[in-house]
């Protein structure tokens, strides 16, 4: 195989493609990874805008959140990646490398953290319950991550270890042969699509019991999927010189925290119903009962 070729045996043994990772416009390279990330932000914003009434947000709120999410997400993703590749960015003579974003180096979890921090600040400024904003973010994150992962396909990155499964992906090896690997970018993209469908249907069938419930469901779903998928990858970020994968640990913590909070809030709601005998809603501060 040529260095850039990708074989997909599931479509036939001779099925080989060599998609570009960038397109050139007037001599300026536009990387497909960036285009897919941009598409993710756009479609996430459109979804949030379309369902703003269900989310309890105004048009201005949604537009503000989109404007905030893009730069804060990119900054968070870059800082996260740089911190766990410390020598490449903070060693002698490497300080300016952190600004060379076009050379690659973004971490999705860092983007999520950056966006969440921005939403917390916005909630304080606008006096909107942060749980309400995070609920909107849950849908947007699933859409953005599902689309953004396809940028990894064009970059020939974020793949897993070698496998013989029917849906394996063939890449050129350093020795000139072909290695067949797990298409982990595809696993995560599909996992997010399924999560989006489940959360969308759930939100259509019933209203959230409290602000932040959709986001907790997102945390649990994404954390479970990322924990399993990250274990297959060969390009994980590690904690210093340990064998602990940063994103896998964070996924496990996210899953555990989300499950604990979902169970706790579920018990509070049940207890309030038993005591009050009426309809119950939970908000960000606790349980309120109304007959």
């Amino acid at each position: 195989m040529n260095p850039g070729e990708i074989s997909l045996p599931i479509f036939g043994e001779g099925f080989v493609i060599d998609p570009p990772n960038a397109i050139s416009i007037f001599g300026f390279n536009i990387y497909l990874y960036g285009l897919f990330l941009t598409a993710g932000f756009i479609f996430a914003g459109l979804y949030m805008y379309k369902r703003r009434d269900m989310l309890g947000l105004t048009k201005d709120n949604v537009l503000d959140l989109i404007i905030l999410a893009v730069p804060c997400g990119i900054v968070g993703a870059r800082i996260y990646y740089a911190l766990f590749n410390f020598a490449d960015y903070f060693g002698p003579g490497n300080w300016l490398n952190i600004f060379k974003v076009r050379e690659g180096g973004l971490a999705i979890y860092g983007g999520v953290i950056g966006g969440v921090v921005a939403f917390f600040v916005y909630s304080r400024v606008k006096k909107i319950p942060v749980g309400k904003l995070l609920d909107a973010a849950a849908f947007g994150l699933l859409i953005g991550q599902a689309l953004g992962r396809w940028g990894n396909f064009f970059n020939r990155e974020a793949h897993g270890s070698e496998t013989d499964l029917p849906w394996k992906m063939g890449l050129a090896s350093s020795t000139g042969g072909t290695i067949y690997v797990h298409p982990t970018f595809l696993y995560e993209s599909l996992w997010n699509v399924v999560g989006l469908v489940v959360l969308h249907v759930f939100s259509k069938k019933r209203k959230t019991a409290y602000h932040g419930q959709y986001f907790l469901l997102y945390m649990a779903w994404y954390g479970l999927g990322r924990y399993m998928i990250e274990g297959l990858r060969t390009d994980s970020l590690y904690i210093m010189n340990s064998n602990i994968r940063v994103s896998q640990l964070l996924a496990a913590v996210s899953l555990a925290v989300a499950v604990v909070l979902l169970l706790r809030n579920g018990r509070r709601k049940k207890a309030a119903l038993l005591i009050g005998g009426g309809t119950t809603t939970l908000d960000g501060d606790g349980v309120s009962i109304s007959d």
Side-chain angles (χ1 to χ4, degrees):
M1 289 179 66
N2 293 327
E5 289 182 340
I6 302 172
S7 63
L8 301 169
I10 194 171
F11 297 116
E13 289 300 324
F15 191 90
V16 177
I17 58 176
D18 188 6
N21 69 340
I23 56 176
S24 181
I25 299 179
F26 302 115
F28 184 78
N29 285 334
I30 299 177
Y31 291 93
L32 294 180
Y33 185 89
L35 288 180
F36 274 96
L37 284 178
T38 302
F41 278 118
I42 291 172
F43 282 99
L46 289 174
Y47 181 94
M48 290 164 57
Y49 189 83
K50 179 71 175 178
R51 303 203 67 197
R52 61 188 183 277
D53 291 336
M54 182 277 295
L55 294 167
L57 301 174
T58 66
K59 293 180 181 180
D60 288 341
N61 292 151
V62 174
L63 293 175
D64 288 343
L65 293 177
I66 294 171
I67 292 171
L68 273 175
V70 174
C72 292
I74 292 174
V75 170
R78 186 61 168 176
I79 292 175
Y80 184 101
Y81 184 87
L83 286 175
F84 292 101
N85 287 277
F86 200 86
D88 294 334
Y89 295 94
F90 301 104
N94 294 333
W95 292 92
L96 294 179
N97 288 347
I98 196 170
F99 298 105
K100 299 177 182 179
V101 180
R102 284 176 53 79
E103 296 181 3
L106 297 174
I108 284 181
Y109 257 127
V112 174
I113 294 170
V116 168
V117 170
F119 281 24
F120 266 98
V121 174
Y122 184 81
S123 74
R124 292 292 178 265
V125 173
K126 295 293 185 178
K127 294 180 172 52
I128 300 173
V130 69
K132 184 183 292 188
L133 303 181
L134 293 179
D135 280 339
F139 294 95
L141 285 167
L142 288 168
I143 295 170
Q145 290 168 309
L147 284 171
R149 275 301 176 196
W150 281 92
N152 298 132
F153 171 74
F154 291 96
N155 279 354
R156 284 78 165 167
E157 63 186 5
H159 58 76
S161 55
E162 294 188 46
T163 182
D164 288 324
L165 290 171
W167 52 84
K168 60 191 176 184
M169 179 176 68
L171 298 172
S173 70
S174 57
T175 60
T178 302
I179 59 171
Y180 292 97
V181 299
H182 285 281
T184 47
F185 76 91
L186 176 62
Y187 297 168
E188 189 168 330
S189 180
L190 292 177
W191 183 262
N192 287 321
V193 169
V194 174
L196 174 64
V197 172
V198 171
L199 203 59
H200 177 83
V201 172
F202 178 80
S203 68
K204 286 282 190 179
K205 295 293 184 181
R206 55 177 296 182
K207 293 182 179 180
T208 180
Y210 52 90
H211 298 318
Q213 185 180 25
Y214 295 142
F215 187 74
L216 290 176
L217 291 170
Y218 158 78
M219 281 180 58
W221 180 264
Y222 184 71
L224 175 61
R226 185 62 185 268
Y227 179 83
M228 296 186 295
I229 295 168
E230 189 70 23
L232 298 173
R233 287 180 57 170
T234 58
D235 61 345
S236 299
L237 298 175
Y238 290 87
I239 297 178
M240 300 180 71
N241 296 320
S242 71
N243 292 322
I244 301 174
R245 301 170 191 254
V246 178
S247 293
Q248 195 171 40
L249 175 62
L250 190 54
V253 172
S254 299
L255 172 60
V257 170
V259 170
V260 168
L261 291 177
L262 285 167
L263 291 175
R264 185 201 68 174
N265 290 341
R267 286 197 299 268
R268 285 186 176 182
K269 179 181 178 182
K270 184 177 180 179
L273 281 170
L274 291 173
I275 295 172
T279 60
T280 306
T281 59
L282 290 98
D283 56 27
D285 300 319
V287 181
S288 59
I289 306 169
S290 59
D291 292 328

